[in-house]
Amino acid sequence: MKLLIAIFCIISLTTAALAQTSATPRFEDYNAPVYKGRPAPVTLNGSKEARNFRTQLREGAKQGVNFAGHYTLVSWGCGTACLQVALIDAKTGAVFFPGELDGFGVWFWDNNDEALRFKPNSRLLVMSGFPASQGNKDEPKSGLYYYEWTGSGLKLIRFVEKRREQGR
């Protein structure tokens, strides 16, 4: 009898652990306190990319904090179904160009999809499409990419594959 109870407990705990790892990441699980201070001027001497996109960065910074507590996520088109993305630290003015979002391919699966989903009080970023690393492949690995912003880069948390329908 004790053996049956032990086996039941192990199966129950294993099932619960698997259910948690397959759960869709939620914005509230990646909380970030929102910065209320005055945004620092955009720092352009950090990289050539920052200087090349200075107008988009300066205009975008005027939106104020919209991501991960003290960052402004700025995006602009870079061709058909392509977005370029930068993050500006409102505290320091530093500009980041995450490689995963450097000209990523945008795909929409229904009218509710957005290329990027994010919130001011969360470090979670959801990208719909495929990252730049998949762009040169005949069959890019497309879907929903769930990333956590670490303060210096994006960490992939989960990927949910979705295939593009023909004619879309």
Side-chain angles (χ1 to χ4, degrees):
M1 183 66 172
K2 287 182 182 180
L3 180 62
L4 287 175
I5 292 172
I7 292 172
F8 176 75
C9 288
I10 291 171
I11 291 172
S12 296
L13 291 173
T14 304
T15 304
L18 289 174
Q20 285 182 342
T21 58
S22 66
T24 301
R26 302 175 317 153
F27 288 104
E28 54 270 15
D29 294 334
Y30 298 89
N31 284 331
V34 178
Y35 176 68
K36 302 289 186 196
R38 184 174 173 205
V42 176
T43 305
L44 297 176
N45 15 344
S47 73
K48 183 179 178 184
E49 280 183 299
R51 287 188 301 278
N52 288 343
F53 298 113
R54 64 185 170 273
T55 303
Q56 285 93 339
L57 295 171
R58 287 179 178 146
E59 288 299 313
K62 292 177 185 176
Q63 298 172 30
V65 172
N66 63 9
F67 176 62
H70 59 95
Y71 295 89
T72 302
L73 188 145
V74 182
S75 65
W76 56 92
C78 55
T80 303
C82 177
L83 276 182
Q84 179 77 35
V85 177
L87 298 172
I88 305 163
D89 188 329
K91 292 181 179 179
T92 66
V95 179
F96 300 88
F97 289 91
E100 298 85 351
L101 304 178
D102 183 18
F104 77 89
V106 179
W107 281 359
F108 301 106
W109 286 273
D110 60 43
N111 291 333
N112 296 325
D113 276 343
E114 296 177 44
L116 296 170
R117 284 183 269 158
F118 52 93
K119 293 186 177 189
N121 63 346
S122 180
R123 297 180 322 276
L124 181 65
L125 173 75
V126 184
M127 180 191 79
S128 176
F130 57 88
S133 62
Q134 294 286 316
N136 292 331
K137 297 182 178 178
D138 289 337
E139 295 281 331
K141 194 173 177 182
S142 64
L144 297 175
Y145 286 79
Y146 293 84
Y147 292 107
E148 177 184 8
W149 176 248
T150 65
S152 60
L154 292 170
K155 175 181 150 189
L156 182 63
I157 300 167
R158 185 157 190 247
F159 169 67
V160 178
E161 186 171 12
K162 287 189 168 189
R163 296 202 177 267
R164 188 172 178 185
E165 296 175 19
Q166 294 295 328
R168 287 191 80 184

